[in-house]
Amino acid sequence: MSGDRTTAQDPSQLAPQYSPAEVESRRYAGWVDAGLFTADAAAVAAGRPSFSIVIPPPNVTGSLHIGHALEHTLIDSLVRRRRMQGYSTLWLPGMDHAGIATQNVVEHELARESLSRHDLGREKFVERVWQWKAESGGKILGQMRRLGDSVDWSRERFTMDEGLSRAVHTMFKRLFDDGLIYRAERIINWCPRCLTALSDIEVEHADEDGELVSIRYGDGAGAIVVATTRAETMLGDTAVAVHPDDPRYAGLIGREVELPLTGRRIPVVADPHVDPEFGTGAVKVTPAHDPNDFEIGRRHDLPARTIMDERGVITAPGPFGGLDRFEARPAVVAALREEGRIVAEVRPYLHSVGHCGRCGTIVEPRLSLQWFVKVGPLAKAAGDAVRDGRVKMHPPEMAARYFDWVDDMHDWCISRQLWWGHRIPVFYGPNGAIVCTAPGEDPPGADNPGSWQQDPDVLDTWFSSGLWAFSTLGWPDDTPDMRAFYPTSVLVTGYDILFFWVARMMMLSLYAMSGTSQGQAPDAGREPAQAIPFYDVALHGLVRDSHGKKMSKSRGNAVDPLDWIDRFGADAVRFTMARGANPGGDVAVSEEWAAGARNFCNKLWNAARFSLMNGARVPAELPDPASLTVADRWILSRLASVTADVDALFEAFEFGKLSEALYHFAWDEYCDWYLELAKVTLPPPGQPSAGPAGAGPAGADEAAAERTRDVLGYVLDRLLRLLHPVMPFLTDELWAALTGEESVVVAPWPGQRVDGAGAPVASERFTDPAAEAQIAALTRLVTQVRRFRSDQGLRPGQRVAAALTGIANTPLAGHEASIRTLLRLTPPDDGFAPTASVQAEGVTVELDTSGAIDVAAERRRLEKDLAAATEEVDRTQRKLANPGFTAKAPPEVIEKTRQRLAAAEADMTLLQSRLAALA
RNA sequence: GGGCCGUUAGCUCAGCGGGAGAGUGCUUCCCUGACACGGAAGAAGUCACUGGUUCAAAUCCAGUACGGCCCACCA
């Protein structure tokens, strides 16, 4: 805002209803063309503070769902506010290659052509995935435009980009050289359908009904009974374990028992892991197919017998060979029963079963050679950064969940038997030689091709996501973007990926930026405090339907954000999301909510339309408050208050509350009262430039109208700016119409701001408690009279003659014209014959209702009010009579209570006298 | 098995020591100078239960019931 008053465009440009579609595409294109979203690293170098957020990269598979609409709304509103505040902002867009998910999708596609990835071969298959990515990725970017995301398109990244791949390679090499990545044969979670290892958190546990089978091993005095839910694994048993102190088995430890169906004899070992209280206190040990048993096996040097292949088919010799694991289970039980080995029959048993997080197949613990990250030191640092407050969680309760996980984390299995992903940069040569290459380094064995083989596996997709906060900014190079935008400011994401992503980003970022061992130098002279990937983590919940049910395609209650944007507009969808978002809380949405938000958009549209029709314009500076009407001062005071509230709520990530505050200010105060009050001062319609002073029906003079036009424009301008972060399209369109300027995107934020050097800019703060009190009284009086008319069945639109007696001695003295306009009251004329009166705020409104009033209805109402007032008087009197209260309550509370009592007593006498008058 | 959270108007949720709130839905009236995607008025809740702390509890503490979520090497 600079220079002269800007005048409104022709108000006839504004249709009576807001139609989002055209505005949205035009506005978005304008923003991008003007380069308003492009981050400026040089400005940061010159001293401007920065604000950066990296997008939680959506999977290239599929499209954005309503949860993304929530997430993007929150991120975008944070970014837009900071941009208006004067920060150099970066919202970096991008996508995740989502290894297993994407590979599955493309494999499904191939299956429709009756092909498998093996038919294509690795190279051709990966090519095909890239092809598929190109198509799917574009769809997501289009959706982001529709949502209005103010992302810097020039900095778009993909986890398998060349630059990011180099970051991944660099990181792997560093961890490898530091001994924090190792290869080992372990029991891992294996998906027999996806044919790959999974990390612990990629396994989803669900309680399922199973059978607990008790089996007798051995015979006679040496017999021992074990229980299992996975009978087929007994084929791979290599011991029975009991607790060392269990007297029942003391004599058996060290002896051997016969393993049924196999003819093998296996030892009885003593291991403290066994719980003597559970079942018979004896447990079968299958080191190759159970993580606990694997550990027991290690402690007792037991062999591990693998009895299943990678697809879950039994490979053990004998009659069960070739059976699927779930076919083998009953077959083994039947065979045991035939031998009389099943004891006490089988028992139904509810137990937790692990499923592949991607395809739902029951996971099989499998002994295999995999790569792991040693998480100990990394997890410690990740926990400490939150513990010591360098990184703050919102809401803070979520930190407990984070600590639980980070403080007790198993080593992270990072190798995947997939083709789509970052290939592990390790080569195996002759005589067991192993080399991990550095980025750019040639593979070993150039002189002897064929003697070295690269590891066929790729990395867990979350390994590259874990680097996202800095790999996207050019790491490992010391780039201007790294210097300007790392650490990022806020991570906005769902609590459901706290472990998958947040914790991994913390671990890998802290490691990469500060170095954790073996003299690794911190990057770019970064202080340890700055090694964190982000200062704040703002966690949002899941989007649910109106009954709080999780949205899912199978349930049929999933919402396509584009569908809602088409029907209600992007701003309405965004407002719906923001309004429902409490920190860490799930968001319940429904079409009714979206329609309500759409209505709000339309309300704003029309408020602006009315203002523009009445010549609102934004003044270079506010007129002298002394020259303003009380209503003007009231709305300015309320605006200042709401501005401060919204500012504070933004800082606290309280999106729901700040949306609510703006909604109520805009609708209940600005539209419902201020615009109505402004009509008193503004010249009547069809009289755009008012005549001589006093010509208007309410004594409107042109000077007063001019000042009200200023205030009308001033408040609308600030309101649009305050709403812009959440509702960018509508506010931009209206603001351009109001100010004649190009875009509100870079207009100054009405609250706290900074200048180019990062110094705070003082913001205007107009407060007028006296005006607030007067308008509050006015609204109460008007509501009282309206209520009377409504109760009496008098049509709201009908003009009624009335006298306002006693008003001269009240704070409402100057408001008679306003009250008359709001209530459609005409002055008493010659035939004035009041038939009823309403008293409130010290004013008696005598009404000529041109007819008898409904005495019974009026009595009912008065009696009801009297009962309420009497109760209130009673309650407050008792309270004030309580010596404990007067002695211990804070003075302001006592004062408030006294005032309440006085008000209630006044109400009571008033109502009593009116009841008496009625009789 | 461990942990976290919730239980407030029909529904979805705010409020978290001193007057029970919002949106939506519902009832009645109204196309009043922008908006019927609108205006006005209204009905509606022993704030899950029990006990405790306090002058004062929806709000703090303990327990109970119900619901939800997360974690777990539950043979």
Side-chain angles (χ1 to χ4, degrees):
Chain A
M1 216 91 1
S2 61
D4 292 341
R5 289 171 168 180
T6 48
T7 44
Q9 299 173 351
D10 179 3
S12 65
Q13 281 185 353
L14 297 189
Q17 282 203 349
Y18 172 53
S19 13
E22 182 272 334
V23 171
E24 287 170 9
S25 55
R26 175 161 48 77
R27 287 282 152 196
Y28 198 89
W31 296 333
V32 172
D33 290 348
L36 299 180
F37 304 155
T38 308
D40 188 351
V44 179
R48 186 179 286 275
S50 75
F51 183 82
S52 56
I53 292 185
V54 287
I55 192 173
N59 291 354
V60 280
T61 48
S63 53
L64 300 187
H65 53 71
I66 195 79
H68 291 109
L70 168 66
E71 189 166 276
H72 290 208
T73 297
L74 305 187
I75 295 175
D76 196 48
S77 58
L78 289 176
V79 170
R80 284 179 184 271
R81 168 167 170 267
R82 288 292 189 215
R83 189 180 290 120
M84 294 171 77
Q85 282 183 309
Y87 288 72
S88 182
T89 57
L90 166 62
W91 180 10
L92 186 142
M95 285 179 279
D96 195 292
H97 68 282
I100 189 168
T102 309
Q103 173 157 334
N104 278 352
V105 170
V106 177
E107 280 193 278
H108 269 118
E109 206 177 62
L110 284 177
R112 264 181 257 126
E113 303 162 29
S114 302
L115 289 172
S116 81
R117 66 179 151 119
H118 300 281
D119 295 328
L120 295 192
R122 184 163 189 150
E123 208 170 305
K124 281 267 187 302
F125 177 77
V126 169
E127 225 170 76
R128 173 103 184 212
V129 182
W130 274 107
Q131 209 174 44
W132 191 87
K133 180 253 164 190
E135 294 162 27
S136 175
K139 190 170 161 189
I140 291 170
L141 303 181
Q143 287 178 306
M144 290 175 61
R145 294 176 65 99
R146 291 296 309 277
L147 279 164
D149 294 351
S150 64
V151 296
D152 182 347
W153 291 109
S154 72
R155 284 176 167 84
E156 188 198 333
R157 297 287 185 270
F158 180 56
T159 47
M160 291 210 354
D161 278 351
E162 200 185 325
L164 275 74
S165 296
R166 190 164 62 99
V168 167
H169 194 160
T170 305
M171 189 63 154
F172 188 97
K173 172 72 172 162
R174 272 201 195 175
L175 287 163
F176 183 91
D177 289 347
D178 266 355
L180 292 173
I181 279 183
Y182 64 92
R183 193 177 189 226
E185 189 164 49
R186 290 276 174 85
I187 296 272
I188 44 84
N189 306 294
W190 181 265
C191 176
R193 201 213 64 86
C194 300
L195 299 177
T196 180
L198 302 170
S199 64
D200 291 344
I201 48 174
E202 285 169 293
V203 178
E204 290 171 1
H205 294 271
D207 281 346
E208 282 180 16
D209 292 319
E211 289 179 335
L212 190 65
V213 187
S214 295
I215 309 168
R216 181 168 47 83
Y217 286 9
D219 284 299
I224 196 162
V225 175
V226 299
T228 181
T229 53
R230 296 196 301 150
E232 73 282 7
T233 62
M234 58 94 47
L235 300 171
D237 284 3
T238 54
V240 171
V242 297
H243 194 274
D245 303 330
D246 194 330
R248 291 171 293 182
Y249 302 111
L252 288 176
I253 294 168
R255 308 264 297 265
E256 290 195 330
V257 293
E258 185 210 335
L259 181 65
L261 305 179
T262 64
R264 284 193 284 122
R265 295 186 67 78
I266 55 176
V268 177
V269 299
D271 194 284
H273 167 80
V274 178
D275 175 9
E277 305 290 316
F278 188 95
T280 59
V283 58
K284 59 191 276 305
V285 181
T286 323
H289 293 281
D290 182 278
N292 286 318
D293 294 5
F294 180 76
E295 291 304 319
I296 295 176
R298 277 230 294 222
R299 287 195 283 271
H300 299 275
D301 205 21
L302 301 169
R305 293 176 74 102
T306 297
I307 57 149
M308 259 180 239
D309 67 10
E310 73 278 4
R311 291 176 192 275
V313 174
I314 304 294
T315 53
F320 308 106
L323 290 181
D324 176 79
R325 52 188 171 148
F326 298 119
E327 297 167 355
R329 186 170 301 166
V332 165
V333 172
L336 288 167
R337 183 170 284 130
E338 225 164 87
E339 282 197 10
R341 294 288 181 172
I342 300 292
V343 183
E345 280 309 314
V346 296
R347 193 152 59 84
Y349 191 71
L350 188 71
H351 65 307
S352 170
V353 179
H355 298 257
C356 171
R358 254 323 131 187
C359 73
T361 302
I362 292 179
V363 160
E364 194 62 40
R366 180 179 164 82
L367 185 63
S368 84
L369 192 58
Q370 303 285 348
W371 286 96
F372 295 86
V373 171
K374 192 171 163 185
V375 296
L378 304 178
K380 171 77 167 58
D384 288 347
V386 175
R387 247 184 289 274
D388 65 24
R390 268 138 67 215
V391 175
K392 290 188 193 58
M393 295 255 179
H394 308 269
E397 304 91 83
M398 285 292 176
R401 213 181 263 195
Y402 173 82
F403 293 139
D404 277 353
W405 194 70
V406 143
D407 293 345
D408 187 28
M409 187 179 172
H410 293 177
D411 281 356
W412 173 17
C413 176
I414 51 167
S415 45
R416 296 289 180 275
Q417 289 63 54
L418 305 171
W419 288 350
W420 175 242
H422 300 99
R423 193 148 171 192
I424 290 175
V426 171
F427 293 81
Y428 307 103
N431 307 318
I434 292 185
V435 166
C436 176
T437 60
E441 185 186 339
D442 288 332
D447 48 333
N448 185 6
S451 62
W452 288 79
Q453 295 283 319
Q454 184 171 4
D455 193 300
D457 291 351
V458 301
L459 289 167
D460 181 3
T461 198
W462 294 101
F463 187 92
S464 55
S465 327
L467 316 184
W468 187 250
F470 53 85
S471 62
T472 50
L473 298 173
W475 188 88
D477 297 337
D478 179 16
T479 62
D481 274 6
M482 272 304 285
R483 288 176 175 269
F485 300 116
Y486 191 93
T488 63
S489 307
V490 188
L491 181 74
V492 180
T493 193
Y495 61 70
D496 53 327
I497 58 170
L498 189 59
F499 306 146
F500 280 105
W501 196 41
V502 182
R504 265 90 175 256
M505 277 177 107
M506 289 285 284
M507 293 197 299
L508 295 176
S509 301
L510 288 164
Y511 171 77
M513 294 303 140
S514 61
T516 53
S517 59
Q518 300 197 5
Q520 194 63 250
D523 267 52
R526 213 168 272 286
E527 297 296 319
Q530 280 202 321
I532 53 170
F534 28 72
Y535 295 99
D536 292 284
V537 180
L539 295 162
H540 64 250
L542 272 37
V543 177
R544 296 173 179 276
D545 71 10
S546 58
H547 302 293
K549 294 269 187 299
K550 201 167 168 174
M551 283 197 175
S552 68
K553 279 181 195 156
S554 55
R555 212 186 296 259
N557 61 352
V559 171
D560 175 0
L562 283 192
D563 175 48
W564 274 19
I565 289 174
D566 288 340
R567 291 165 54 205
F568 304 111
D571 289 320
V573 172
R574 291 171 61 117
F575 191 75
T576 304
M577 296 299 153
R579 187 184 206 175
N582 293 117
D586 290 344
V587 181
V589 299
S590 64
E591 289 201 18
E592 284 74 27
W593 282 69
R598 187 263 327 266
N599 296 353
F600 181 48
C601 291
N602 195 238
K603 188 71 180 176
L604 291 167
W605 179 263
N606 274 288
R609 183 162 170 256
F610 172 82
S611 300
L612 293 174
M613 284 167 105
N614 280 284
R617 66 296 173 86
V618 184
E621 60 185 56
L622 222 43
D624 175 16
S627 73
L628 297 174
T629 67
V630 176
D632 290 336
R633 282 183 273 132
W634 165 73
I635 197 68
L636 289 169
S637 186
R638 291 296 311 134
L639 173 69
S641 166
V642 146
T643 302
D645 290 350
V646 167
D647 238 3
L649 291 167
F650 256 117
E651 296 294 329
F653 307 106
E654 292 276 8
F655 298 99
K657 293 193 181 95
L658 72 90
S659 305
E660 198 77 7
L662 286 165
Y663 181 93
H664 283 120
F665 175 74
W667 201 314
D668 300 348
E669 300 191 295
Y670 186 66
C671 289
D672 284 352
W673 289 102
Y674 183 69
L675 294 188
E676 294 306 318
L677 287 165
K679 287 175 185 173
V680 179
T681 318
L682 293 166
Q687 200 181 324
S689 58
D701 66 80
E702 182 54 19
E706 281 297 288
R707 288 191 292 271
T708 290
R709 289 190 184 103
D710 282 347
V711 176
L712 218 45
Y714 181 92
V715 177
L716 180 61
D717 162 49
R718 300 308 195 275
L719 175 60
L720 290 174
R721 286 197 246 162
L722 287 170
L723 281 164
H724 178 256
V726 178
M727 311 174 81
F729 294 109
L730 172 76
T731 52
D732 200 44
E733 181 77 357
L734 292 177
W735 197 76
L738 174 69
T739 64
E741 290 184 44
E742 206 43 58
S743 175
V744 73
V745 169
V746 287
W749 177 251
Q752 298 163 15
R753 301 197 324 261
V754 294
D755 65 17
V761 176
S763 56
E764 303 156 42
R765 184 132 171 55
F766 178 93
T767 55
D768 192 334
E772 292 204 32
Q774 281 187 44
I775 298 299
L778 183 146
T779 60
R780 282 195 300 266
L781 171 67
V782 168
T783 302
Q784 280 292 311
V785 177
R786 282 175 177 164
R787 191 174 161 206
F788 171 82
R789 287 171 51 146
S790 177
D791 286 351
Q792 289 298 321
L794 298 172
R795 290 174 41 238
Q798 186 187 328
R799 291 194 173 272
V800 173
L804 273 58
T805 57
I807 193 168
N809 301 321
T810 71
L812 293 175
H815 297 281
E816 181 159 347
S818 300
I819 292 166
R820 286 190 179 281
T821 305
L822 289 167
L823 289 170
R824 311 186 159 275
L825 301 177
T826 56
D829 52 16
D830 293 343
F832 182 64
T835 48
S837 72
V838 178
Q839 287 155 303
E841 306 297 319
V843 179
T844 301
V845 182
E846 292 180 274
L847 297 152
D848 181 350
T849 58
S850 335
I853 63 156
D854 183 343
V855 175
E858 181 62 0
R859 165 163 309 162
R860 274 198 304 275
R861 187 167 80 78
L862 292 173
E863 277 169 351
K864 196 181 141 200
D865 285 2
L866 181 60
T870 310
E871 202 192 312
E872 173 77 358
V873 167
D874 229 50
R875 207 171 39 205
T876 40
Q877 265 177 351
R878 257 181 294 139
K879 194 161 187 176
L880 286 162
N882 181 343
F885 176 71
T886 43
K888 296 195 179 176
E892 64 270 21
V893 172
I894 296 175
E895 182 49 32
K896 244 173 90 177
T897 310
R898 285 221 176 86
Q899 283 170 11
R900 244 173 49 219
L901 176 63
E905 279 173 341
D907 277 359
M908 222 173 92
T909 30
L910 196 76
L911 290 161
Q912 276 166 341
S913 71
R914 288 179 56 196
L915 264 172
L918 211 61

